[in-house]
C-alpha cells in the first residue's frame, strides 16, 4: 500500500489497569486503532476500490443498515436580537443537551427574548413577551422536513434535515436461476442545511445539500460541526458478483467522495474532502466515508472545511473542546447474528475542536462491546469513560454483560487506564449517566439494577452501590441535593413493562436509595429515548415530560414538583387535537411561563398554577 502513517503510534492497548470488581471478564481482544493518511489521490482511490470490491455480495454493497442514533439539541445563547428590548433576557431554560458547552440540534430554541421552532415545514418565530407568532418562513423541502432540527446563534438559525428514501424491495432470482438481476442499490439520503437570517423578517441566507446521511452535530458558540456518513455512489449492473466487483474497481474516485453543494449569494459551489484530509483506520479498510464539516454561522455557509475518515460512524459525543465519533468495524455490527461477527468492538476517534477552523484528529482507540447512546460516553479530566455491553441478549441466551472503560490519551493512543466488568450479567444497558467522578449504569432484563461506580481513580474504578427495583430507567437526570431522576418503565417480575415510571433516587452516599416514584399505567414518554423532551427546572423543581397512551388515546405533558424527598404530581397540559395530532413533544421555561409545543401549535401556561393563558395555533 502506498500510504504514510498519519499518527504513527498504535491506537490502544487493552491489557493494563483492570479492576476485577464485580467480576472480571476476559480481557478485550480489540485490535489497536490508528488512522492512516495517503500520499496522493491515487493511493486513496486504490484502497477504496479494494475495500469496496471485497464487500460486494448478494445484497449489493455494505453489510446492512447502519446503527440508528437519535439526533440531539442545543441551548440558545447569542447576541441580543435586533429590535429586542435592552437589558438581560428573562431567566429561561435551555435545551437538555448532554454537555453545557456542546449544544445539540432540536425542534425548538429560545434565547429568552424569542422562540424559534419548526412546524409542518415552516420556521416559526414567537415573541414570548406578547405571546404572538411574529413570523413564519417556508423552508426548502416543505412538509418533507418532518425530522428537521435547529441550532441558533444570535440572528442566525441553522436548520438541519435529512430526507431518507425508502429501501427498494429486495428482488431474489428464482431457484436455479443465474445472477442476472441487478444488485439492489442503496438509496441515497439527502441532507440539507439551511441558514436563516432572523435579524428582521426571516430569509434564507444559504443552503448546503449533499447525498451523505446526517449523523449528528454539535455547536460551541457560533461554530457548528456536522458529522455525515456516505456510501459509494456506484451502480452495480446485472450479472454475477465478479461483474459487479469489476464495476467497483473501475469507478472513479469521486464515487466515494461526497459532494457538498453550497448555494449562497446567487452562486453555487461544489466542495469535496481533499485527498490529503482523508484517512482510514490502520486495522481495516473501510468503504463508507465519515465526513466532519465546520461552519461559522456568522460568516455563512462557505467552504465546509471537510475532513474524512473511511469508516462507519454511529455515535457523536462532544463537550466543546473534544469531539468523539464512534464506529463499528466491518463484521462487528450489533444487529448481525453472532455467528457472523468477527468481534464485538467499538472504535472511537477523538478530534480537537477547541479552536476555530476544521477539527484536528488527535487520537484513536477501541473497546470491547457496543454503546447504547452518547450518554454512555463522557470526558472528565482529559479521560474518556465508555460503557458498553457485550454478548447476546435474546431468548434464553444470558451471555451478555456490561463494562465501563476509562481511556487516557497517550500520544495518538486512547489507552485503557482501567475498567470494571460484570455489570448486569444476562442483561443489557438501558441508560448511563456520568456526573463528575461518579458513573451510574442501569441494566435490565426482568428487574432494574442501578449501579453506582466510583471513577475518582481512573486506574481502579470500583462498584460502590447497587439497587434493584422492578422496571428500568431509560434516561437519568441529575437533580438538586444529591438526587437523580429516572424516566423509564415500570415492570412486573417477569420483565413485562406496565407503563411510565418516574423515580427519584438518593445518590448522595455510596449506596443508592429510591425515595419516591410515580407510575402511570399504560403510557410511555418520548423522554425515555429522546432526552430533549425532558425538562427539569432547578429553580422550582418543576419537571415536565410528554406522555402518550399506548392505545393512541391520551397525549399530554405531565408536570411534577421534585424536592429532595418527593415527587408530587402538579397536573397536566394538553393541546387541542389537530389534523396531524396534538401530541406534545417539547417544553421550556421563560420567566414564570411554561411553554409546551406540538405539531399544531404552542401553549403558554403559568408555571406555578398550570393555568392556561394562551394557545397559539400554527
Amino acid at each position: 500500500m502506498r500510504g504514510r502513517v498519519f499518527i504513527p503510534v498504535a491506537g490502544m492497548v487493552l491489557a493494563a489497569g483492570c479492576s476485577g470488581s464485580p467480576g472480571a471478564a476476559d480481557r478485550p481482544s480489540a485490535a489497536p486503532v490508528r488512522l492512516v493518511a495517503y500520499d496522493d489521490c491515487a493511493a486513496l482511490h486504490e484502497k477504496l476500490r479494494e475495500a469496496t470490491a471485497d464487500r460486494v455480495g448478494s445484497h449489493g454493497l455494505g453489510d446492512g443498515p447502519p446503527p440508528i442514533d437519535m439526533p440531539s439539541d442545543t441551548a440558545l445563547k447569542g447576541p441580543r436580537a435586533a429590535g429586542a428590548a435592552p437589558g438581560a433576557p428573562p431567566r429561561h431554560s435551555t435545551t437538555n443537551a448532554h454537555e453545557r458547552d456542546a449544544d445539540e440540534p432540536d425542534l425548538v430554541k429560545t434565547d429568552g427574548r424569542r422562540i424559534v421552532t419548526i412546524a409542518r415545514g415552516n420556521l416559526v418565530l414567537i415573541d414570548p413577551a406578547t405571546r404572538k407568532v411574529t413570523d413564519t418562513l417556508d423552508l426548502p423541502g416543505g412538509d418533507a422536513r418532518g425530522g428537521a432540527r435547529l441550532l441558533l446563534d444570535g440572528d442566525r438559525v441553522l436548520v438541519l434535515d435529512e430526507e431518507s428514501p425508502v429501501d427498494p424491495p429486495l428482488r431474489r432470482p428464482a431457484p436455479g436461476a443465474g445472477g442476472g438481476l441487478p444488485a439492489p442499490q442503496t438509496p441515497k439520503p439527502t441532507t440539507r442545511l439551511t441558514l436563516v437570517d432572523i435579524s428582521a423578517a426571516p430569509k434564507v441566507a444559504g443552503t448546503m445539500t449533499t447525498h451523505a446521511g446526517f449523523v449528528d452535530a454539535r455547536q460551541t458558540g457560533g461554530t457548528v460541526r456536522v458529522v455525515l456518513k456516505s456510501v459509494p455512489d456506484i451502480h452495480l449492473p446485472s450479472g454475477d458478483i465478479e461483474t459487479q466487483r469489476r464495476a467497483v474497481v473501475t469507478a472513479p474516485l469521486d464515487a466515494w467522495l461526497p459532494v457538498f453543494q453550497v448555494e449562497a449569494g446567487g452562486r453555487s459551489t461544489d466542495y469535496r474532502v481533499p485527498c490529503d484530509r482523508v484517512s482510514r483506520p490502520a486495522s481495516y479498510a473501510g468503504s463508507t466515508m465519515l465526513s466532519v464539516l465546520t461552519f461559522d454561522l456568522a460568516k455563512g455557509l462557505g467552504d465546509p472545511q471537510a475532513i474524512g475518515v473511511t469508516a462507519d460512524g454511529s455515535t457523536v459525543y462532544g463537550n466543546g473542546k473534544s469531539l468523539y465519533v464512534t464506529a463499528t468495524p466491518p463484521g462487528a455490527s450489533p444487529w448481525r447474528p453472532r455467528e457472523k461477527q468477527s468481534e464485538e468492538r467499538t472504535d472511537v476517534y477523538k478530534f480537537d475542536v477547541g479552536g476555530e477552523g476544521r477539527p484536528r484528529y488527535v487520537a484513536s482507540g477501541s473497546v470491547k462491546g457496543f454503546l447504547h447512546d452518547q450518554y454512555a460516553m463522557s470526558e472528565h479530566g482529559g479521560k474518556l469513560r465508555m460503557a458498553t455491553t457485550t454478548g447476546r441478549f435474546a431468548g434464553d441466551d444470558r451471555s451478555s454483560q456490561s463494562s465501563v472503560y476509562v481511556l487516557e490519551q497517550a500520544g495518538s493512543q486512547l489507552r485503557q487506564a482501567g475498567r470494571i466488568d460484570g455489570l448486569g450479567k444476562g442483561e443489557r444497558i438501558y441508560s448511563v449517566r456520568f456526573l463528575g467522578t461518579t458513573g451510574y449504569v442501569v441494566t435490565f432484563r426482568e428487574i432494574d439494577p442501578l449501579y453506582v461506580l466510583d471513577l475518582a481513580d481512573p486506574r481502579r474504578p470500583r462498584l460502590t452501590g447497587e439497587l434493584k427495583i422492578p422496571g428500568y430507567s431509560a434516561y437519568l437526570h441529575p437533580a438538586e441535593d444529591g438526587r437523580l431522576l429516572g424516566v423509564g418503565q415500570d415492570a412486573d417480575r417477569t420483565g413485562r413493562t406496565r407503563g411510565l415510571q418516574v423515580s427519584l433516587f438518593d445518590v448522595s452516599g455510596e449506596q443508592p436509595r429510591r425515595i419516591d416514584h410515580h407510575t402511570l399505567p399504560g403510557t410511555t414518554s418520548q423522554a425515555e429515548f429522546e432526552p430533549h423532551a425532558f425538562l427539569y427546572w432547578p429553580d422550582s423543581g418543576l419537571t415536565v415530560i410528554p406522555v402518550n397512551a399506548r392505545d393512541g388515546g391520551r397525549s399530554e405533558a405531565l408536570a411534577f414538583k421534585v424536592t429532595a424527598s418527593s415527587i408530587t404530581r402538579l397536573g397536566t397540559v394538553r393541546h387541542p387535537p389537530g389534523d396531524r395530532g396534538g401530541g406534545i413533544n417539547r417544553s421550556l421555561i421563560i420567566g414564570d411561563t411554561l411553554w409546551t409545543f406540538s405539531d399544531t401549535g404552542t401553549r403558554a401556561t403559568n408555571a406555578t398554577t398550570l393555568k392556561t393563558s394562551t394557545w397559539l395555533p400554527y
Side-chain angles (χ1 to χ4, degrees), residues 193-236:
L193 308 184
T194 305
L195 185 64
V196 181
D197 184 342
I198 60 171
S199 58
K203 62 181 179 180
V204 174
T207 62
M208 189 218 75
T209 55
T210 180
H211 286 307
F214 177 73
V215 178
D216 214 335
R218 294 293 181 271
Q219 177 185 358
T220 300
T223 302
V224 175
R225 320 283 181 173
V226 181
V227 182
L228 304 169
K229 179 172 59 178
S230 57
V231 298
D233 186 10
I234 301 173
H235 175 74
L236 298 184

Side-chain angles (χ1 to χ4, degrees), residues 29-268:
S29 59
V33 175
R34 58 190 171 94
L35 291 185
V36 174
Y38 298 90
D39 292 328
D40 51 40
C41 289
L44 170 63
H45 193 190
E46 176 185 345
K47 204 63 183 179
L48 286 169
R49 289 187 299 189
E50 291 176 3
T52 307
D54 287 344
R55 301 177 75 175
V56 174
S58 59
H59 291 181
L61 289 175
D63 287 334
I68 297 174
D69 188 43
M70 301 297 295
S72 304
D73 161 75
T74 178
L76 299 186
K77 301 172 183 176
R80 180 169 57 89
R91 279 185 57 77
H92 59 279
S93 62
T94 56
T95 300
N96 183 29
H98 188 178
E99 298 284 4
R100 180 175 301 182
D101 295 326
D103 292 341
E104 306 167 4
D106 197 35
L107 297 171
V108 60
K109 300 290 179 183
T110 186
D111 56 9
R113 291 189 174 90
R114 56 190 165 187
I115 299 170
V116 186
T117 188
I118 280 194
R120 303 180 184 180
N122 293 321
L123 188 74
V124 180
L125 274 70
I126 298 169
D127 181 354
T130 62
R131 297 182 178 177
K132 294 182 179 179
V133 174
T134 58
D135 287 289
T136 60
L137 175 68
D138 239 346
L139 292 167
D143 283 354
R145 306 186 74 107
R149 298 292 187 269
L150 307 173
L151 291 169
L152 182 144
D153 178 62
D155 292 329
R156 296 294 179 103
V157 177
L158 184 65
V159 184
L160 308 97
D161 184 45
E162 179 192 68
E163 299 174 24
S164 299
V166 178
D167 289 336
L170 180 63
R171 300 174 58 203
R172 299 186 182 276
L181 290 174
Q185 305 299 304
T186 301
K188 295 187 291 292
T190 297
T191 296
R192 180 186 290 108
L193 308 184
T194 305
L195 185 64
V196 181
D197 184 342
I198 60 171
S199 58
K203 62 181 179 180
V204 174
T207 62
M208 189 218 75
T209 55
T210 180
H211 286 307
F214 177 73
V215 178
D216 214 335
R218 294 293 181 271
Q219 177 185 358
T220 300
T223 302
V224 175
R225 320 283 181 173
V226 181
V227 182
L228 304 169
K229 179 172 59 178
S230 57
V231 298
D233 186 10
I234 301 173
H235 175 74
L236 298 184
S238 61
D240 57 23
I241 289 178
E242 287 306 315
T243 300
Q244 294 163 5
R245 285 176 177 166
R246 282 196 293 273
V248 170
V249 299
T250 57
L253 176 59
D254 285 355
W256 284 269
L257 301 177
V259 176
F260 310 112
Q261 185 180 65
V262 177
E263 297 185 11
R267 298 177 56 189
S268 179

Side-chain angles (χ1 to χ4, degrees), residues 320-335:
K321 295 182 179 179
S322 301
L323 183 75
Y324 293 90
V325 183
T326 69
T328 302
S333 186
W335 62 269

Side-chain angles (χ1 to χ4, degrees), residues 447-468:
I447 58 172
D448 167 7
L450 169 63
Y451 297 101
V452 180
L453 306 176
D454 181 354
L455 306 171
D457 183 348
R459 301 190 179 279
R460 294 175 178 82
R462 61 190 184 96
L463 176 68
T464 61
E466 178 181 347
L467 173 67
K468 293 185 178 182

Side-chain angles (χ1 to χ4, degrees), residues 496-580:
R496 184 184 299 274
T497 58
R498 298 186 289 203
L500 178 68
Q501 178 172 260
V502 181
S503 299
L504 179 64
F505 302 100
D506 180 354
V507 291
S508 58
E510 290 191 338
Q511 184 61 38
R513 297 184 302 115
R514 186 167 76 169
I515 54 181
D516 201 2
H517 68 283
H518 180 86
T519 59
L520 199 60
T523 63
T524 63
S525 174
Q526 191 180 117
E528 296 175 43
F529 58 85
E530 173 54 279
H532 304 130
F534 180 90
L535 171 66
Y536 171 72
W537 188 234
D539 287 17
S540 62
L542 177 67
T543 302
V544 182
I545 58 175
V547 174
N548 293 89
R550 288 178 173 173
D551 60 8
R554 180 176 67 243
S555 176
E556 58 195 15
L558 188 58
F560 300 95
K561 181 177 179 61
V562 176
T563 68
S565 59
S566 66
I567 300 174
T568 304
R569 175 173 171 158
L570 297 178
T572 60
V573 177
R574 293 186 180 183
H575 288 192
D579 58 350
R580 300 191 186 183

